[in-house]
mmCIF file of all heavy atoms in Angstrom:
data_model
loop_
_atom_site.group_PDB
_atom_site.id
_atom_site.type_symbol
_atom_site.label_atom_id
_atom_site.label_comp_id
_atom_site.label_asym_id
_atom_site.label_seq_id
_atom_site.Cartn_x
_atom_site.Cartn_y
_atom_site.Cartn_z
ATOM 1 N N GLU A 138 -125.830 61.116 -16.495
ATOM 2 C CA GLU A 138 -126.225 62.465 -15.931
ATOM 3 C C GLU A 138 -127.560 62.690 -16.262
ATOM 4 O O GLU A 138 -128.316 63.234 -15.505
ATOM 5 C CB GLU A 138 -125.159 63.464 -16.275
ATOM 6 C CG GLU A 138 -125.386 64.759 -15.517
ATOM 7 C CD GLU A 138 -124.229 65.825 -15.748
ATOM 8 O OE1 GLU A 138 -123.436 65.527 -16.629
ATOM 9 O OE2 GLU A 138 -124.193 66.730 -15.022
ATOM 10 N N LEU A 139 -127.901 62.590 -17.618
ATOM 11 C CA LEU A 139 -129.299 62.976 -18.130
ATOM 12 C C LEU A 139 -130.234 62.046 -17.459
ATOM 13 O O LEU A 139 -131.346 62.584 -17.066
ATOM 14 C CB LEU A 139 -129.249 62.553 -19.666
ATOM 15 C CG LEU A 139 -128.751 63.668 -20.548
ATOM 16 C CD1 LEU A 139 -128.680 63.201 -22.082
ATOM 17 C CD2 LEU A 139 -129.489 64.958 -20.430
ATOM 18 N N ASP A 140 -130.026 60.736 -17.274
ATOM 19 C CA ASP A 140 -131.005 59.875 -16.650
ATOM 20 C C ASP A 140 -131.196 60.358 -15.238
ATOM 21 O O ASP A 140 -132.406 60.176 -14.515
ATOM 22 C CB ASP A 140 -130.546 58.444 -16.634
ATOM 23 C CG ASP A 140 -130.559 57.806 -18.039
ATOM 24 O OD1 ASP A 140 -131.217 58.403 -18.864
ATOM 25 O OD2 ASP A 140 -129.947 56.790 -18.247
ATOM 26 N N GLU A 141 -130.252 60.884 -14.484
ATOM 27 C CA GLU A 141 -130.305 61.342 -13.101
ATOM 28 C C GLU A 141 -131.002 62.676 -12.982
ATOM 29 O O GLU A 141 -131.882 62.862 -12.102
ATOM 30 C CB GLU A 141 -128.954 61.405 -12.396
ATOM 31 C CG GLU A 141 -128.941 61.703 -11.016
ATOM 32 C CD GLU A 141 -127.483 61.771 -10.334
ATOM 33 O OE1 GLU A 141 -126.536 61.411 -11.079
ATOM 34 O OE2 GLU A 141 -127.478 62.659 -9.389
ATOM 35 N N LEU A 142 -130.676 63.602 -13.875
ATOM 36 C CA LEU A 142 -131.149 64.904 -13.755
ATOM 37 C C LEU A 142 -132.549 65.228 -14.381
ATOM 38 O O LEU A 142 -133.279 66.159 -13.925
ATOM 39 C CB LEU A 142 -130.245 65.834 -14.554
ATOM 40 C CG LEU A 142 -128.864 66.083 -13.937
ATOM 41 C CD1 LEU A 142 -127.944 66.981 -14.810
ATOM 42 C CD2 LEU A 142 -128.785 66.641 -12.396
ATOM 43 N N ALA A 143 -132.972 64.432 -15.373
ATOM 44 C CA ALA A 143 -134.292 64.590 -15.938
ATOM 45 C C ALA A 143 -135.505 64.489 -14.970
ATOM 46 O O ALA A 143 -136.279 65.317 -14.958
ATOM 47 C CB ALA A 143 -134.450 63.706 -17.097
ATOM 48 N N PRO A 144 -135.547 63.469 -14.146
ATOM 49 C CA PRO A 144 -136.579 63.335 -13.092
ATOM 50 C C PRO A 144 -136.610 64.574 -12.182
ATOM 51 O O PRO A 144 -137.562 65.026 -11.621
ATOM 52 C CB PRO A 144 -136.342 62.091 -12.451
ATOM 53 C CG PRO A 144 -135.503 61.299 -13.257
ATOM 54 C CD PRO A 144 -134.628 62.185 -14.090
ATOM 55 N N LYS A 145 -135.368 64.981 -11.743
ATOM 56 C CA LYS A 145 -135.175 66.121 -10.779
ATOM 57 C C LYS A 145 -135.625 67.410 -11.389
ATOM 58 O O LYS A 145 -136.216 68.189 -10.683
ATOM 59 C CB LYS A 145 -133.652 66.200 -10.404
ATOM 60 C CG LYS A 145 -133.124 65.093 -9.496
ATOM 61 C CD LYS A 145 -131.774 65.414 -9.062
ATOM 62 C CE LYS A 145 -131.218 64.326 -8.144
ATOM 63 N NZ LYS A 145 -129.888 64.666 -7.643
ATOM 64 N N LYS A 146 -135.478 67.460 -12.754
ATOM 65 C CA LYS A 146 -135.999 68.754 -13.287
ATOM 66 C C LYS A 146 -137.602 68.790 -13.213
ATOM 67 O O LYS A 146 -138.137 69.777 -12.946
ATOM 68 C CB LYS A 146 -135.640 68.691 -14.778
ATOM 69 C CG LYS A 146 -136.146 69.962 -15.564
ATOM 70 C CD LYS A 146 -135.559 69.950 -17.045
ATOM 71 C CE LYS A 146 -136.061 71.156 -17.810
ATOM 72 N NZ LYS A 146 -137.427 70.850 -18.304
ATOM 73 N N GLU A 147 -138.205 67.579 -13.521
ATOM 74 C CA GLU A 147 -139.725 67.534 -13.392
ATOM 75 C C GLU A 147 -140.229 67.840 -11.977
ATOM 76 O O GLU A 147 -141.221 68.542 -11.741
ATOM 77 C CB GLU A 147 -140.183 66.170 -13.779
ATOM 78 C CG GLU A 147 -140.056 65.979 -15.244
ATOM 79 C CD GLU A 147 -140.633 64.628 -15.704
ATOM 80 O OE1 GLU A 147 -141.288 63.939 -14.846
ATOM 81 O OE2 GLU A 147 -140.368 64.166 -16.852
ATOM 82 N N GLU A 148 -139.418 67.405 -10.881
ATOM 83 C CA GLU A 148 -139.779 67.495 -9.513
ATOM 84 C C GLU A 148 -139.667 69.025 -9.231
ATOM 85 O O GLU A 148 -140.554 69.619 -8.545
ATOM 86 C CB GLU A 148 -138.772 66.773 -8.525
ATOM 87 C CG GLU A 148 -139.130 65.226 -8.522
ATOM 88 C CD GLU A 148 -138.154 64.592 -7.631
ATOM 89 O OE1 GLU A 148 -137.481 65.150 -6.899
ATOM 90 O OE2 GLU A 148 -138.016 63.375 -7.922
ATOM 91 N N LEU A 149 -138.572 69.664 -9.578
ATOM 92 C CA LEU A 149 -138.389 71.124 -9.364
ATOM 93 C C LEU A 149 -139.351 71.901 -9.947
ATOM 94 O O LEU A 149 -139.826 72.975 -9.392
ATOM 95 C CB LEU A 149 -136.935 71.564 -9.746
ATOM 96 C CG LEU A 149 -135.832 71.129 -8.887
ATOM 97 C CD1 LEU A 149 -134.371 71.452 -9.383
ATOM 98 C CD2 LEU A 149 -135.944 71.868 -7.502
ATOM 99 N N GLU A 150 -139.711 71.546 -11.183
ATOM 100 C CA GLU A 150 -140.819 72.409 -11.958
ATOM 101 C C GLU A 150 -142.126 72.235 -11.175
ATOM 102 O O GLU A 150 -142.766 73.328 -11.031
ATOM 103 C CB GLU A 150 -140.998 71.794 -13.375
ATOM 104 C CG GLU A 150 -139.908 72.161 -14.226
ATOM 105 C CD GLU A 150 -139.960 71.615 -15.683
ATOM 106 O OE1 GLU A 150 -140.615 70.635 -15.902
ATOM 107 O OE2 GLU A 150 -139.329 72.043 -16.603
ATOM 108 N N GLU A 151 -142.453 71.149 -10.625
ATOM 109 C CA GLU A 151 -143.695 70.947 -9.859
ATOM 110 C C GLU A 151 -143.603 71.788 -8.634
ATOM 111 O O GLU A 151 -144.593 72.510 -8.190
ATOM 112 C CB GLU A 151 -144.016 69.489 -9.485
ATOM 113 C CG GLU A 151 -144.418 68.719 -10.714
ATOM 114 C CD GLU A 151 -145.753 69.297 -11.227
ATOM 115 O OE1 GLU A 151 -146.734 69.533 -10.536
ATOM 116 O OE2 GLU A 151 -145.794 69.437 -12.547
ATOM 117 N N GLU A 152 -142.579 71.818 -7.923
ATOM 118 C CA GLU A 152 -142.227 72.556 -6.671
ATOM 119 C C GLU A 152 -142.383 74.027 -6.994
ATOM 120 O O GLU A 152 -143.080 74.855 -6.285
ATOM 121 C CB GLU A 152 -140.977 72.325 -6.063
ATOM 122 C CG GLU A 152 -140.839 71.050 -5.359
ATOM 123 C CD GLU A 152 -139.489 70.682 -4.731
ATOM 124 O OE1 GLU A 152 -138.973 71.590 -4.092
ATOM 125 O OE2 GLU A 152 -139.011 69.592 -5.000
ATOM 126 N N LEU A 153 -141.811 74.480 -8.228
ATOM 127 C CA LEU A 153 -141.853 76.019 -8.465
ATOM 128 C C LEU A 153 -143.253 76.329 -8.878
ATOM 129 O O LEU A 153 -143.775 77.429 -8.507
ATOM 130 C CB LEU A 153 -140.977 76.215 -9.654
ATOM 131 C CG LEU A 153 -139.483 76.294 -9.251
ATOM 132 C CD1 LEU A 153 -138.625 76.292 -10.523
ATOM 133 C CD2 LEU A 153 -139.169 77.518 -8.397
ATOM 134 N N LYS A 154 -144.016 75.487 -9.570
ATOM 135 C CA LYS A 154 -145.472 75.757 -9.824
ATOM 136 C C LYS A 154 -146.321 75.988 -8.663
ATOM 137 O O LYS A 154 -147.081 76.927 -8.475
ATOM 138 C CB LYS A 154 -146.136 74.643 -10.600
ATOM 139 C CG LYS A 154 -145.791 74.582 -12.116
ATOM 140 C CD LYS A 154 -146.366 73.359 -12.778
ATOM 141 C CE LYS A 154 -145.891 73.154 -14.265
ATOM 142 N NZ LYS A 154 -146.527 71.982 -14.773
ATOM 143 N N MET A 155 -146.010 75.107 -7.623
ATOM 144 C CA MET A 155 -146.793 75.336 -6.301
ATOM 145 C C MET A 155 -146.364 76.686 -5.691
ATOM 146 O O MET A 155 -147.215 77.387 -5.054
ATOM 147 C CB MET A 155 -146.440 74.061 -5.423
ATOM 148 C CG MET A 155 -147.019 72.821 -5.835
ATOM 149 S SD MET A 155 -148.925 72.850 -5.710
ATOM 150 C CE MET A 155 -149.281 71.290 -6.285
ATOM 151 N N MET A 156 -145.088 76.973 -5.670
ATOM 152 C CA MET A 156 -144.669 78.226 -5.043
ATOM 153 C C MET A 156 -145.176 79.414 -5.721
ATOM 154 O O MET A 156 -145.284 80.566 -5.180
ATOM 155 C CB MET A 156 -143.147 78.242 -5.107
ATOM 156 C CG MET A 156 -142.476 77.171 -4.207
ATOM 157 S SD MET A 156 -140.640 77.214 -4.284
ATOM 158 C CE MET A 156 -140.241 77.940 -2.758
ATOM 159 N N LEU A 157 -145.593 79.332 -6.994
ATOM 160 C CA LEU A 157 -145.982 80.458 -7.892
ATOM 161 C C LEU A 157 -147.603 80.649 -7.616
ATOM 162 O O LEU A 157 -148.110 81.626 -8.249
ATOM 163 C CB LEU A 157 -145.716 80.266 -9.305
ATOM 164 C CG LEU A 157 -144.321 80.532 -9.675
ATOM 165 C CD1 LEU A 157 -144.103 80.243 -11.185
ATOM 166 C CD2 LEU A 157 -143.771 81.878 -9.360
ATOM 167 N N ILE A 158 -148.280 79.696 -6.987
ATOM 168 C CA ILE A 158 -149.587 79.828 -6.756
ATOM 169 C C ILE A 158 -149.831 81.195 -5.855
ATOM 170 O O ILE A 158 -149.249 81.318 -4.866
ATOM 171 C CB ILE A 158 -150.246 78.648 -6.067
ATOM 172 C CG1 ILE A 158 -150.181 77.395 -7.073
ATOM 173 C CG2 ILE A 158 -151.714 78.913 -5.585
ATOM 174 C CD1 ILE A 158 -150.598 76.163 -6.292
ATOM 175 N N PRO A 159 -150.754 82.054 -6.267
ATOM 176 C CA PRO A 159 -150.914 83.345 -5.504
ATOM 177 C C PRO A 159 -151.266 83.004 -4.023
ATOM 178 O O PRO A 159 -152.129 82.155 -3.783
ATOM 179 C CB PRO A 159 -152.080 84.088 -6.171
ATOM 180 C CG PRO A 159 -152.178 83.381 -7.581
ATOM 181 C CD PRO A 159 -151.605 82.012 -7.512
ATOM 182 N N LYS A 160 -150.528 83.571 -3.100
ATOM 183 C CA LYS A 160 -150.763 83.242 -1.695
ATOM 184 C C LYS A 160 -151.947 84.092 -1.149
ATOM 185 O O LYS A 160 -152.247 85.208 -1.612
ATOM 186 C CB LYS A 160 -149.405 83.782 -0.969
ATOM 187 C CG LYS A 160 -148.389 82.684 -1.065
ATOM 188 C CD LYS A 160 -147.446 82.840 0.036
ATOM 189 C CE LYS A 160 -146.353 81.705 0.241
ATOM 190 N NZ LYS A 160 -146.042 80.975 -1.010
ATOM 191 N N ASP A 161 -152.610 83.301 -0.196
ATOM 192 C CA ASP A 161 -153.706 84.044 0.489
ATOM 193 C C ASP A 161 -153.041 85.099 1.271
ATOM 194 O O ASP A 161 -152.233 84.807 2.242
ATOM 195 C CB ASP A 161 -154.435 82.950 1.382
ATOM 196 C CG ASP A 161 -155.664 83.627 2.076
ATOM 197 O OD1 ASP A 161 -155.604 84.833 2.351
ATOM 198 O OD2 ASP A 161 -156.542 82.965 2.416
ATOM 199 N N PRO A 162 -153.375 86.382 1.267
ATOM 200 C CA PRO A 162 -152.770 87.527 1.880
ATOM 201 C C PRO A 162 -152.891 87.438 3.473
ATOM 202 O O PRO A 162 -152.203 87.990 4.136
ATOM 203 C CB PRO A 162 -153.426 88.760 1.338
ATOM 204 C CG PRO A 162 -154.683 88.352 0.706
ATOM 205 C CD PRO A 162 -154.388 86.931 0.293
ATOM 206 N N ASN A 163 -153.949 86.510 3.889
ATOM 207 C CA ASN A 163 -154.263 86.347 5.276
ATOM 208 C C ASN A 163 -153.396 85.236 5.961
ATOM 209 O O ASN A 163 -153.421 85.091 7.123
ATOM 210 C CB ASN A 163 -155.755 86.124 5.492
ATOM 211 C CG ASN A 163 -156.511 87.313 5.189
ATOM 212 O OD1 ASN A 163 -156.270 88.463 5.688
ATOM 213 N ND2 ASN A 163 -157.554 87.146 4.308
ATOM 214 N N ASP A 164 -152.786 84.479 5.057
ATOM 215 C CA ASP A 164 -152.047 83.345 5.615
ATOM 216 C C ASP A 164 -151.086 83.461 6.805
ATOM 217 O O ASP A 164 -151.031 82.650 7.634
ATOM 218 C CB ASP A 164 -151.302 82.601 4.450
ATOM 219 C CG ASP A 164 -152.141 81.680 3.631
ATOM 220 O OD1 ASP A 164 -153.312 81.492 4.069
ATOM 221 O OD2 ASP A 164 -151.731 81.039 2.648
ATOM 222 N N SER A 165 -150.329 84.624 6.843
ATOM 223 C CA SER A 165 -149.575 84.917 7.837
ATOM 224 C C SER A 165 -150.077 85.565 9.057
ATOM 225 O O SER A 165 -149.412 85.760 10.026
ATOM 226 C CB SER A 165 -148.357 85.742 7.349
ATOM 227 O OG SER A 165 -148.802 86.969 6.947
ATOM 228 N N LYS A 166 -151.400 85.818 9.085
ATOM 229 C CA LYS A 166 -152.098 86.395 10.150
ATOM 230 C C LYS A 166 -152.391 85.531 11.369
ATOM 231 O O LYS A 166 -152.454 84.280 11.101
ATOM 232 C CB LYS A 166 -153.370 87.073 9.767
ATOM 233 C CG LYS A 166 -153.297 88.301 8.845
ATOM 234 C CD LYS A 166 -154.715 88.736 8.427
ATOM 235 C CE LYS A 166 -154.670 89.884 7.514
ATOM 236 N NZ LYS A 166 -154.269 91.150 8.102
ATOM 237 N N ASN A 167 -152.340 86.124 12.585
ATOM 238 C CA ASN A 167 -152.839 85.438 13.776
ATOM 239 C C ASN A 167 -154.406 85.229 13.465
ATOM 240 O O ASN A 167 -155.007 85.796 12.588
ATOM 241 C CB ASN A 167 -152.583 86.270 15.053
ATOM 242 C CG ASN A 167 -151.020 86.263 15.222
ATOM 243 O OD1 ASN A 167 -150.304 85.423 14.897
ATOM 244 N ND2 ASN A 167 -150.592 87.425 15.762
ATOM 245 N N VAL A 168 -155.048 84.490 14.474
ATOM 246 C CA VAL A 168 -156.520 84.274 14.174
ATOM 247 C C VAL A 168 -157.236 84.422 15.587
ATOM 248 O O VAL A 168 -156.655 84.251 16.578
ATOM 249 C CB VAL A 168 -156.817 82.856 13.624
ATOM 250 C CG1 VAL A 168 -155.980 82.610 12.390
ATOM 251 C CG2 VAL A 168 -156.585 81.716 14.655
ATOM 252 N N ILE A 169 -158.616 84.688 15.399
ATOM 253 C CA ILE A 169 -159.524 84.541 16.520
ATOM 254 C C ILE A 169 -160.307 83.220 16.151
ATOM 255 O O ILE A 169 -160.839 83.178 15.120
ATOM 256 C CB ILE A 169 -160.545 85.728 16.492
ATOM 257 C CG1 ILE A 169 -159.760 87.125 16.470
ATOM 258 C CG2 ILE A 169 -161.448 85.570 17.669
ATOM 259 C CD1 ILE A 169 -159.012 87.394 17.816
ATOM 260 N N LEU A 170 -160.152 82.342 17.105
ATOM 261 C CA LEU A 170 -160.755 80.947 16.913
ATOM 262 C C LEU A 170 -162.053 80.952 17.840
ATOM 263 O O LEU A 170 -161.934 81.019 19.052
ATOM 264 C CB LEU A 170 -159.926 79.939 17.357
ATOM 265 C CG LEU A 170 -160.347 78.487 17.243
ATOM 266 C CD1 LEU A 170 -160.557 78.032 15.866
ATOM 267 C CD2 LEU A 170 -159.441 77.541 17.986
ATOM 268 N N GLU A 171 -163.125 80.724 17.087
ATOM 269 C CA GLU A 171 -164.380 80.685 18.002
ATOM 270 C C GLU A 171 -165.063 79.352 17.742
ATOM 271 O O GLU A 171 -165.173 78.828 16.636
ATOM 272 C CB GLU A 171 -165.457 81.754 17.399
ATOM 273 C CG GLU A 171 -165.029 83.165 17.428
ATOM 274 C CD GLU A 171 -165.932 84.134 16.874
ATOM 275 O OE1 GLU A 171 -167.028 83.737 16.281
ATOM 276 O OE2 GLU A 171 -165.727 85.413 17.123
ATOM 277 N N ILE A 172 -165.375 78.676 18.945
ATOM 278 C CA ILE A 172 -166.060 77.356 18.949
ATOM 279 C C ILE A 172 -167.430 77.490 19.642
ATOM 280 O O ILE A 172 -167.471 78.067 20.713
ATOM 281 C CB ILE A 172 -165.282 76.209 19.641
ATOM 282 C CG1 ILE A 172 -163.846 76.254 19.013
ATOM 283 C CG2 ILE A 172 -165.850 74.940 19.535
ATOM 284 C CD1 ILE A 172 -162.834 75.431 19.789
#
């Protein structure tokens, strides 16, 4: 069980770190695209 769970713990920690990065407040906005 330890051998199976230890790598999963590291993966989840990396995912959580990414999720905790402050989000750009504009990310959910629509856009005006100019070319």
Side-chain angles (χ1 to χ4, degrees):
E138 190 171 16
L139 279 173
D140 290 342
E141 183 184 341
L142 295 180
K145 285 185 179 177
K146 179 174 178 281
E147 289 182 14
E148 284 176 24
L149 281 174
E150 283 174 346
E151 285 304 309
E152 286 181 46
L153 284 166
K154 279 180 190 174
M155 288 295 177
M156 292 177 109
L157 287 175
I158 293 172
K160 281 191 166 36
D161 185 333
N163 291 312
D164 276 355
S165 60
K166 288 181 182 286
N167 296 325
V168 309
I169 305 295
L170 176 69
E171 300 180 346
I172 306 170

